[in-house]
Amino acid sequence: MARRAFADFGNALYTGEKSINFVGRRKTWYMISAVLILIALVGPLLRGGLTLGIEFTGGSQFQIHVAEGERDQSLALEAVDEVLPGSAPRVSLVGQTDIRVQTEQLEDTQSRALHEALAEAYGVSSEEVTASYIGALWGKDITRQALIALVVFILFAALVMAIYFRTWKMSLAALIALFHDLIITAGIYGISGFEVTPAAVIGFLTILGYSLYDTVVVFDKIRENTAPGELNDRRTFSEAVNLAVNQTRVRSINTSVVALLPVGSILFIGAFVLGAGTLRDIALALFIGILVGAYSTIFIAAPVYAQLRQGEPEIKKQEARVLRAREREEGGSQSADDARADAAVEA
């Protein structure tokens, strides 16, 4: 029954029988997004900025293999404080039997001392404790490569969309929605205190692709509805854009739900069952990004595109023709009603 009702609702949206005024209420959506972006920018600053993983900052890392159920993180904190007073290590659980300890980059003597202290604290042999370090230069190189990948992706996406849709305004609207998604997703990471790791960056790049896919689907329908043969005196340009958004809503909802279900499963299994940090980081970025991307396609990309086109002379002329035609129809309808009323009085 619910499935039938949803299908009927989708058909009503597609035909225009029912319509949600996404474009006409754009100021409301802009205000909501502005508040979200402000929170995403200010929130992490109040917490001291993004929590970058050791791959970006450099440092030393120790991983202790212990028996299942014997992973008291306080033992690692005490061992670090004993060897490195005043240090602020990051201690996390990895899988079902390991503990990971990350510190600032240590000298060889400090690394050996902490290695022995951790083995003693957990009552394991030194072979069960592995140590590694990532230099600051390597971390800077990873950061640079991540930024290059982001810039190349954005430039390439802008170029392809401008060529495909044959207008830079669609490309600009899509990029505005893209930055909207990126800022809010990164802000949620910063506010929640999750580490930004290379896996998270991969997730960020992936959600940008997903967001663009959803936007392209809507923009393709917008292009179809606003083509010279389709745009007539029945609808203004903004109304035609709004109809396209309504016509693709059911498809976007279905796509988002289908994408969120497996990503949510990976997030749950990676974070709570396996304790796999890489799975958690990628899945978390995807989960947040898919939600934000579904919002931005409807409430940001399409309204921004309609606003960018409204000032064009041809669009203004077409809108004026539509309004004049509606006035004539209303006038004709009113005259017919008056004539019927007069006839009734005479009778």
Side-chain angles (χ1 to χ4, degrees), residues 210 260 286-296:
Y210 179 87
L260 283 172
L286 288 174
F287 194 85
I288 297 170
I290 289 172
L291 286 176
V292 177
Y295 168 84
S296 68

Side-chain angles (χ1 to χ4, degrees), residues 124-139:
V124 297
S125 63
S126 58
E127 287 79 10
E128 300 294 337
V129 181
T130 57
S132 59
Y133 71 92
I134 298 174
L137 291 177
W138 193 83

